[in-house]
Amino acid sequence: RYYPDFLVKMRTKEGLRTRMVEVKPLKQVKEPKVQNRKTKRYINEVKTFAINTYKWKAARDFCEDRGWEFVIITEKELGLISW
């Protein structure tokens, strides 16, 4: 199952636009760098990235079928400082 963070409907000059928004940390959006040592942390990062990739493909397909947009937003787009 997949539950996006937001479903935004906007009125524009062209009509109603719908955007499905997913908010994730930047490190979960980028593919992990290949490492020689397969630590638990690295394996978890690879697994998380793979699961997210499949979810996002399904979400993109779902949105495309409906004429919606799918957007992934990270702290970079939000302008947040990473401590």
Side-chain angles (χ1 to χ4, degrees), residues 14-79:
E14 295 80 28
L16 190 65
R17 287 179 49 195
T18 303
R19 183 177 288 171
M20 185 183 291
V21 181
E22 179 67 26
V23 180
K24 286 287 184 198
L26 183 60
K27 69 180 183 178
Q28 288 186 10
V29 175
K30 292 185 176 183
E31 186 173 3
K33 294 180 183 178
V34 177
Q35 297 179 3
N36 292 332
R37 244 177 82 216
K38 307 300 185 222
T39 63
K40 285 183 181 182
R41 179 179 175 179
Y42 173 73
I43 292 168
N44 189 41
E45 288 174 359
V46 170
K47 181 180 173 183
T48 299
F49 180 76
I51 290 169
N52 285 340
T53 300
Y54 287 115
K55 286 181 179 180
W56 297 334
K57 172 155 183 3
R60 281 188 183 94
D61 292 344
F62 180 87
C63 289
E64 186 177 314
D65 289 345
R66 287 155 180 78
W68 299 355
E69 292 180 72
F70 178 71
V71 181
I72 301 169
I73 296 177
T74 68
E75 67 271 15
K76 185 177 178 182
E77 287 81 19
L78 293 174

